[in-house]
Amino acid sequence: MSNISPNLKYLRKKKGLTQQQFADAMEVKRSLIGAYEEDRAEPKYDLLKKIAEFYDLTIDEFINEKINDSWKPKLKSQGSNLRILSISVDNDNKENIEMVPVKASAGYLNGFADPEYIKDLPKFQLPLPFLKQGTFRAFEILGDSMLPIQSGSIILAEYLDNWNDIKIGETYIVISKNEGVVYKRAGNKFKENKELKLVSDNKLYDPYTIPSDEILEIWKAKAFISSTLPEPTPEPSIETLSSMMAQMQKSISNLNKN
């Protein structure tokens, strides 16, 4: 259960505001503030964010911490500070894997933390051992920047809570304000107030960087699903065989020198 109701009432009184004054600051009706403080309703994500910013808090602190006279804020770090993550569960209270299709990726930037948005995404379960621990989401990718994984493939990814755990060369789904949903390799480790380098497997695409303060979520790629089956390996041509022989001769020559 969240602490929204008592926290909202405490913070408002601490600031010396009436319900009407606070409602005016949030640009909502006074009756809504009363409903939130009496735990008859909960504010949606956009308003939660506005309230947290008004009191210089993270959304996680506002929802989960018991804020009172003895409460002290934790030191904030972009790499490890908790973020709000909305999920959905099945009838057995098991976490679903929500699917984010390409056509829904633009909306995901605004609704990724909104339980109502997440609830409406397609969802499924997979009986795979590595899915027993962690929170997973599926993202449809578009384009040829990560060949040989084909456009239209589904990347099954695990939520990465601590961005300091990013490893160079491993693949991630990165959600950012300007780039949207992308699937790339990490070109450097995450550092607060620095840029994260993203690298495509298709060398026709140049690496690029994203400022850390533009990143919204990061998911570690664990598997992919594709309806495009691999083509058979072509028979080696004379040119291919000649190239292989030349490479072998070069390697043998280098060994002899050593």
Side-chain angles (χ1 to χ4, degrees):
M1 184 177 177
S2 76
N3 294 299
I4 291 175
S5 173
N7 286 348
L8 190 59
K9 186 182 295 184
Y10 171 82
L11 290 166
R12 176 180 60 79
K13 290 183 176 181
K14 183 80 172 177
K15 214 169 179 71
L17 299 173
T18 65
Q19 284 189 347
Q20 186 60 61
Q21 288 171 329
F22 183 63
D24 291 342
M26 295 295 102
E27 299 178 298
V28 298
K29 294 181 179 178
R30 188 210 61 77
S31 58
L32 274 179
I33 301 301
Y36 300 150
E37 291 190 357
E38 294 166 17
D39 205 18
R40 291 185 282 110
E42 287 193 354
K44 291 190 175 181
Y45 173 74
D46 287 344
L47 184 56
L48 274 175
K49 183 179 179 182
K50 193 172 183 179
I51 293 171
E53 289 175 349
F54 184 79
Y55 290 117
D56 195 24
L57 300 167
T58 66
I59 294 178
D60 179 74
E61 287 171 333
F62 179 62
I63 293 176
N64 295 316
E65 298 283 339
K66 291 183 179 180
I67 301 175
N68 50 38
D69 288 337
S70 60
W71 179 81
K72 292 182 180 180
K74 298 175 183 176
L75 292 175
K76 296 177 175 62
S77 168
Q78 257 190 315
S80 58
N81 193 44
L82 293 175
R83 300 164 188 83
I84 186 169
L85 178 67
S86 295
I87 61 171
S88 63
V89 296
D90 64 9
N91 293 333
D92 296 322
N93 208 36
K94 294 180 181 178
E95 285 190 26
N96 291 311
I97 300 173
E98 295 88 12
M99 166 73 182
V100 184
V102 167
K103 64 181 181 180
S105 59
Y108 188 81
L109 299 184
N110 296 319
F112 68 94
D114 184 351
E116 292 299 314
Y117 175 85
I118 297 299
K119 181 184 69 175
D120 292 335
L121 288 173
K123 50 191 71 68
F124 59 94
Q125 297 275 348
L126 285 174
L128 299 175
F130 72 88
L131 298 176
K132 290 183 178 180
Q133 298 290 333
T135 295
F136 296 86
R137 197 152 288 169
F139 298 86
E140 183 182 17
I141 61 170
L142 190 64
D144 61 354
S145 67
M146 291 301 285
L147 290 174
I149 295 181
Q150 299 290 326
S151 179
S153 297
I154 309 299
I155 304 298
L156 189 61
E158 181 180 6
Y159 183 68
L160 190 67
D161 182 54
N162 189 343
W163 298 351
N164 293 317
D165 291 337
I166 288 175
K167 295 180 180 178
I168 298 172
E170 295 193 349
T171 54
Y172 300 86
I173 292 287
V174 180
I175 319 294
S176 65
K177 297 174 185 176
N178 291 327
E179 293 295 322
V181 179
V182 298
Y183 172 54
K184 301 291 179 185
R185 291 191 187 275
N188 64 302
K189 292 185 70 66
F190 177 86
K191 292 183 179 179
E192 188 177 353
N193 300 323
K194 299 290 184 180
E195 295 178 325
L196 181 63
K197 183 179 180 181
L198 302 181
V199 182
S200 300
D201 283 352
N202 186 343
K203 299 309 177 186
L204 294 177
Y205 292 82
D206 293 331
Y208 63 94
T209 57
I210 296 180
S212 60
D213 59 1
E214 289 187 7
I215 299 173
L216 303 174
E217 286 183 347
I218 298 178
W219 298 75
K220 173 73 177 73
K222 305 295 287 188
F224 75 95
I225 304 169
S226 176
S227 61
T228 304
L229 298 178
E231 296 290 337
T233 303
E235 294 293 331
S237 64
I238 296 298
E239 291 79 7
T240 304
L241 290 172
S242 298
S243 177
M244 291 171 61
M245 289 296 295
Q247 184 61 45
M248 289 175 63
Q249 289 172 349
K250 183 177 180 181
S251 298
I252 292 171
S253 176
N254 289 335
L255 285 172
N256 291 333
K257 289 179 181 178
N258 294 330

